[in-house]
Amino acid sequence: MTKDKEVELIRILEHNGRIESDVLAKMLDESEEDVKKTIQKLEDDHVILSYAAVVDWSKIQSEESIAAMIDVKVTPQRDVGFDEVAARIQRFPEVSALYLMSGTYDLSVVVEGQTMAGVASFVSNKLSTLETVLSTTTHFRMKKYKHDGVVFNQDEKDRRMVVSP
């Protein structure tokens, strides 16, 4: 499979990882065997890391969680920069995503918990106590409109009253 077709395959799978290999083969004008081999190679090479469903947890009330984005300012370590502190932070089970950022803060940490108090406890007892962490700013997610390209609550009507002069 050519590199261009491989990239096209990756884009298709990123958008919908459930497409059957025979359908992918038709979409790419390739044999099903080549598609399966390429997917296996991409998984073995850690290009494709995971297949995930985007779920609207707000529709399952007993499973809804609190999410927070935490801006973290840290002191980089000699010879390893931010990698060592990032490795420590990513090991916490509460952390669902972690990014090195440019700008005012160094790291952006996405945390999920069952309650605001649980997230606050993580920040004050685990994250802020790391010796390289200088400061944190926590932002709680209020509502999810779009995630990984998927728009949430498309069928909800805007119930605000229109006011015009």
Side-chain angles (χ1 to χ4, degrees), residues 30-93:
E30 295 282 340
S31 73
E32 187 175 354
E33 185 179 327
D34 281 348
V35 168
K36 287 180 177 180
K37 283 181 182 176
T38 303
I39 291 172
Q40 187 61 54
K41 176 187 166 292
L42 293 167
E43 290 171 351
D44 293 344
D45 292 346
H46 300 286
V47 173
I48 296 176
L49 300 173
S50 172
Y51 298 91
V54 178
V55 178
D56 187 351
W57 287 106
S58 69
K59 302 225 189 266
I60 303 171
Q61 291 179 330
S62 65
E63 292 297 321
E64 198 166 1
S65 64
I66 302 295
M69 289 63 148
I70 305 164
D71 299 327
V72 183
K73 184 83 172 154
V74 299
T75 304
Q77 306 265 262
R78 180 169 301 212
D79 299 326
V80 292
F82 298 101
D83 294 344
E84 191 173 296
V85 69
R88 284 187 71 187
I89 292 170
Q90 74 187 9
R91 285 193 293 265
F92 290 118

Side-chain angles (χ1 to χ4, degrees), residues 99-116:
Y99 307 98
L100 178 63
M101 305 296 289
S102 65
T104 308
Y105 290 90
D106 304 308
L107 299 172
S108 179
V109 182
V110 180
V111 173
E112 294 188 18
Q114 291 303 309
T115 64
M116 273 187 162

